[in-house]
Amino acid sequence: MDILGISAFYHDSAATLVRDGEIIAAAQEERFTRKKHDNQFPSNAVEYCLQARDISADRLDYVVFYEKPLLKFERLLETYIGYAPRGFRQFLMGMPLWLRLKLHLPREMDRALHNKYKGRYIFTEHHESHAASAFFPSPFGEAAILTMDGVGEWATGSFGTGRGNKIELTHVMQFPHSLGLLYSAFTYFTGFRVNSGEYKMMGLAPYGEPKYYDLIMEKLIDLKEDGSFRLDMSYLPYCHKTVMTGSKFEKLFGGRLRRPESPLTQREMDIAASIQAVTEEIMMRAARYVHHQTGMKNLVLAGGVALNCVGNGRILREGPFDNIWIQPAAGDAGGALGAALLVWYQLLGNERKVDGRDKQQGSLLGPAYSNKQICRFLDSLGARYHSYADDGQLIDKVAELIDQEKVIGWFQGRMEFGPRALGNRSIIGDARSEKMQSVMNRKIKFRESFRPFAPCVLREDVNSYFEMRNEEDSPYMLLVAPVQKGKRLPLDVPLESLKGLDKLKVKRSVVPAITHVDYSARIQTVDRQRHPKLHRLMSRFKEKTDCSVIINTSFNIRGEPIVCSPEHAYRCFMGTNMDVLVMENQLLYKDEQPQAKQHEIDEYKAQFELD
Ligand SMILES: [Fe+2]
């Protein structure tokens, strides 16, 4: 039985194909259209899913959409009526899209499936889809479920339990009170883009002090012991305006919002640190309450807030649960997967077997390209490359190049599903290098200099480098943990003397490129089973250097979706200062290629709107 899951029209459209409960394929539309967070109907992703199973749409048994458009429309209408006559402009702006697309979804889906699908369409609820995406692929037979995001139809957060093949959400929190939207309001205020800059604000937080924590708690939010809260909407005009913060908010924080791309000041860093601390407090209270109410040992998480890996790390280290599992595509893209699994298990009542391993398959669920396809593409360009018949020789060479501080595009196997590159569409480099953080930010990714990089660490060595509780796994890069004290270095200047971005200038550990200014790191553990080739590469690197850690950042530049095909990878390689590109068993050196001219690099960068 083939079930197609779809999410679309909000942000991060995606499609998934589930066959007899097994995840066959999943991908975000942005990877194909090259438009970051593309929210159009995911026609390309659907096409890919059908190809992956080699079927046409008439063979699909069910098509399921990840939320209920009518309920969402009702929320929009009621919010408008609640604030009328204010908000008329915002209401009018949203209407054409609703009338044209969202209220006629079956028609839209018919068209995308070339009128071949004759079955019925199923619509699941937004938070049910998140919950299903968290529980069903998890390794647990039973678990507490916690979802938190911006907003779905009405719900902004929910909790309940999953047992066997059933989930049940018993509690919901409703719009406009939303942790996701609160975090986004601060993202907006600190001059980053809503729905994509949240990650940047989280990365900025360690440069500041949580000076505004009490102010936020006192004025903006009425937080209960159980983690639920009410926001004072007079500070947050997002219900009736197209902005997220207004003059009252500015007055409270003693100044105007930061214009995007203008210099960052200590104030933004302190504000980021404060809202991050508030968010962690809410996540911790919610986790404790859910534990208390459900009595479960395991917790699963999804919804955009579950991408707050600093908060996740705290729940794991300080929280009451024995184990946690987080859906890697925790945002709305993952809703497509949850919706499809919900149909298979909950609606159709199929048995769910657990064997201690998750069913996400390393989240490597996107397209793959063979050596033959890659060579054909490179030949068509006249690119110079070296093909390695033997994996061992290739790996030996790449390990040597990392040791020489080369920046390497690493393109292998199936593309990742979810926002993180997990070693199949990654740029990798030497974590021991002092210059690498700045080189990668400025010359490769063309992004803000304050942004930290994440490490890949050999699974078996995680505890020698990081303080992970119980040597926990973090295969999806969703947990932040401190660098082990034994790997830290004495500072050559007193810590108190460092303010703001000056904190960057100090070497803090034996792996400085991935040690954030507060000694934290967003960890991906690499194991032999999920990532055999990367594991081999890192093991070889360790043999050479005695270091089990490398940098792993997504294969893209600022504003660009992660690369999908060899063509995208080659263009990104040529459009940046990357030294080496490895695609399956082909290795390319930049200095052997016809040099890309500066204007071509500029044109490449100009294609992607800054995020
Ligand atoms: Fe969501």
Side-chain angles (χ1 to χ4, degrees):
M1 180 174 285
D2 290 299
I3 303 170
L4 181 71
I6 291 171
S7 70
F9 300 134
Y10 191 34
H11 40 88
D12 276 337
S13 296
T16 309
L17 191 83
V18 168
R19 183 188 56 198
D20 297 338
E22 187 193 342
I23 310 166
I24 300 295
Q28 290 126 280
E29 184 68 0
E30 61 160 29
R31 306 290 163 86
F32 303 97
T33 60
R34 312 308 295 150
K35 188 173 166 236
K36 203 161 185 175
H37 304 298
D38 197 342
N39 66 356
Q40 299 298 304
F41 191 87
S43 308
N44 295 282
V46 167
E47 206 59 46
Y48 154 67
C49 284
L50 295 175
Q51 270 167 21
R53 173 84 174 94
D54 201 17
I55 56 171
S56 77
D58 56 347
R59 292 274 310 278
L60 290 168
D61 296 282
Y62 291 95
V63 176
V64 50
F65 191 76
Y66 84 129
E67 62 181 14
K68 293 188 188 290
L70 286 178
L71 261 184
K72 197 165 188 168
F73 190 64
E74 174 194 287
R75 192 245 304 160
L76 245 67
L77 274 179
E78 283 196 23
T79 307
Y80 167 63
I81 291 163
Y83 282 87
R86 289 184 295 169
F88 186 58
R89 207 170 129 234
Q90 191 192 20
F91 184 74
L92 270 190
M93 275 166 64
M95 274 311 101
L97 188 66
W98 274 97
L99 297 176
R100 192 161 45 85
L101 294 177
K102 299 186 192 178
L103 292 176
H104 302 286
L105 254 180
R107 196 179 65 195
E108 276 307 302
M109 294 204 277
D110 275 344
R111 191 181 306 160
L113 297 169
H114 310 296
N115 292 311
K116 284 184 176 164
Y117 174 66
K118 299 293 173 222
R120 55 190 263 246
Y121 292 108
I122 297 174
F123 297 86
T124 53
E125 274 187 33
H126 190 105
H127 275 258
E128 263 181 355
S129 303
H130 279 317
S133 79
F135 178 64
F136 292 128
S138 81
F140 310 133
E142 51 178 47
I145 304 172
L146 177 61
T147 68
M148 286 180 279
D149 70 356
V151 61
E153 295 92 356
W154 280 101
T156 59
S158 72
F159 81 83
T161 51
R163 285 189 178 88
N165 63 356
K166 291 272 180 294
I167 58 168
E168 188 188 7
L169 295 178
T170 49
H171 294 67
V172 290
M173 197 164 81
Q174 288 207 331
F175 185 82
H177 309 290
S178 157
L179 181 52
L181 291 175
L182 179 69
Y183 205 82
S184 292
F186 280 88
T187 302
Y188 174 87
F189 191 69
T190 47
F192 301 113
R193 192 176 269 213
V194 170
N195 289 335
S196 75
E198 283 76 5
Y199 235 77
K200 299 185 189 181
M201 192 172 69
M202 188 178 73
L204 186 65
Y207 293 97
E209 297 297 325
K211 285 183 181 162
Y212 302 96
Y213 179 90
D214 292 337
L215 188 69
I216 297 171
M217 286 294 195
E218 210 176 288
K219 300 282 187 192
L220 282 184
I221 184 166
D222 175 16
L223 178 61
K224 307 283 191 303
E225 211 32 60
D226 63 5
S228 69
F229 56 84
R230 292 187 69 79
L231 298 172
D232 182 340
M233 298 312 293
S234 66
Y235 290 99
L236 300 160
Y238 55 71
C239 286
H240 62 278
K241 281 189 176 168
T242 50
V243 294
M244 295 210 74
T245 61
S247 53
K248 197 171 169 190
F249 194 98
E250 290 181 347
K251 211 177 273 169
L252 190 63
F253 291 96
R256 287 195 51 107
L257 51 79
R258 170 181 163 255
R259 264 187 305 115
E261 308 310 313
S262 65
L264 282 160
T265 67
Q266 192 61 43
R267 187 171 76 111
E268 281 87 45
M269 298 173 198
D270 293 339
I271 290 174
S274 308
I275 188 62
Q276 178 61 31
V278 169
T279 301
E280 288 169 31
E281 179 59 25
I282 296 171
M283 290 173 80
M284 289 302 296
R285 285 194 196 188
R288 279 194 291 263
Y289 184 69
V290 170
H291 180 260
H292 180 257
Q293 289 292 303
T294 62
M296 294 277 188
K297 285 193 309 199
N298 307 316
L299 173 69
V300 296
L301 295 165
V305 175
L307 294 171
N308 195 307
C309 33
V310 181
N312 296 343
R314 280 198 56 197
I315 294 180
L316 179 69
R317 278 192 308 280
E318 301 165 38
F321 289 96
D322 290 359
N323 307 294
I324 73 175
W325 193 84
I326 306 148
Q327 166 55 239
D332 283 354
L337 175 60
L341 292 171
L342 198 70
V343 170
W344 173 255
Y345 288 114
Q346 188 119 334
L347 241 70
L348 301 172
N350 287 296
E351 190 194 354
R352 176 169 169 265
K353 295 194 186 90
V354 281
D355 57 8
R357 304 199 73 94
D358 75 54
K359 301 291 183 284
Q360 189 79 16
Q361 304 162 43
S363 222
L364 307 173
L365 300 165
Y369 298 85
S370 66
N371 277 315
K372 212 164 138 192
Q373 286 172 304
I374 292 165
C375 291
R376 204 183 306 139
F377 165 72
L378 291 173
D379 291 340
S380 74
L381 294 178
R384 287 207 56 191
Y385 61 93
H386 307 263
S387 284
Y388 285 76
D390 174 55
D391 265 7
Q393 282 176 9
L394 173 77
I395 278 163
D396 205 44
K397 186 74 207 170
V398 178
E400 187 185 308
L401 291 166
I402 300 174
D403 190 22
Q404 291 168 3
E405 297 190 64
K406 301 289 186 218
V407 177
I408 299 162
W410 180 251
F411 181 105
Q412 304 287 332
R414 298 184 74 177
M415 182 180 69
E416 297 85 348
F417 179 51
R420 303 279 80 82
L422 300 168
N424 279 15
R425 299 289 185 276
S426 291
I427 300 171
I428 56 177
D430 193 343
R432 301 166 306 162
S433 165
E434 266 185 85
K435 65 173 189 186
M436 206 46 93
Q437 195 264 1
S438 131
V439 167
M440 284 240 199
N441 270 334
R442 287 169 189 279
K443 293 189 168 174
I444 312 288
K445 309 270 289 191
F446 306 117
R447 68 182 202 183
E448 303 91 333
S449 61
F450 74 87
R451 297 185 59 190
F453 284 100
C456 274
V457 58
L458 287 170
R459 169 75 188 91
E460 52 274 29
D461 294 338
V462 62
N463 261 38
S464 346
Y465 285 85
F466 305 103
E467 292 172 14
M468 289 283 272
R469 195 195 63 172
N470 303 335
E471 298 198 26
E472 202 80 26
D473 234 356
S474 178
Y476 301 113
M477 208 184 255
L478 286 166
L479 294 168
V480 164
V483 171
Q484 283 286 10
K485 299 228 165 46
K487 299 290 181 194
R488 299 184 189 181
L489 297 174
L491 298 183
D492 39 18
V493 285
L495 195 59
E496 315 75 67
S497 70
L498 298 169
K499 290 273 173 290
L501 297 182
D502 286 344
K503 292 182 180 177
L504 258 179
K505 295 175 187 150
V506 186
K507 186 176 176 185
R508 289 158 197 279
S509 81
V510 298
V511 277
I514 57 87
T515 306
H516 204 3
V517 295
D518 59 352
Y519 294 100
S520 67
R522 175 163 51 92
I523 297 157
Q524 181 192 357
T525 52
V526 173
D527 59 69
R528 200 171 282 129
Q529 190 252 343
R530 288 189 183 90
H531 288 101
K533 202 163 177 177
L534 183 61
H535 189 272
R536 241 179 114 182
L537 171 62
M538 291 177 63
S539 304
R540 185 72 193 102
F541 182 69
K542 183 186 168 188
E543 279 167 25
K544 275 180 188 291
T545 64
D546 201 31
C547 177
S548 316
V549 177
I550 59 169
I551 305 176
N552 169 14
T553 183
S554 51
F555 198 147
N556 58 354
I557 62 169
R558 184 175 172 191
E560 180 187 21
I562 295 175
V563 299
C564 175
S565 70
E567 189 187 342
H568 306 151
Y570 184 79
R571 283 172 50 214
C572 185
F573 169 62
M574 292 304 289
T576 65
N577 297 295
M578 222 178 288
D579 303 302
V580 175
L581 170 62
V582 185
M583 292 202 278
E584 292 297 340
N585 283 28
Q586 283 54 244
L587 190 148
L588 291 82
Y589 294 101
K590 175 65 69 56
D591 52 19
E592 288 182 358
Q593 306 308 313
Q595 280 304 311
K597 299 185 181 62
Q598 188 55 46
H599 73 90
E600 291 168 31
I601 297 177
D602 293 341
E603 276 162 26
Y604 182 67
K605 288 194 320 202
Q607 280 177 62
F608 307 106
E609 211 180 312
L610 290 183
D611 65 355

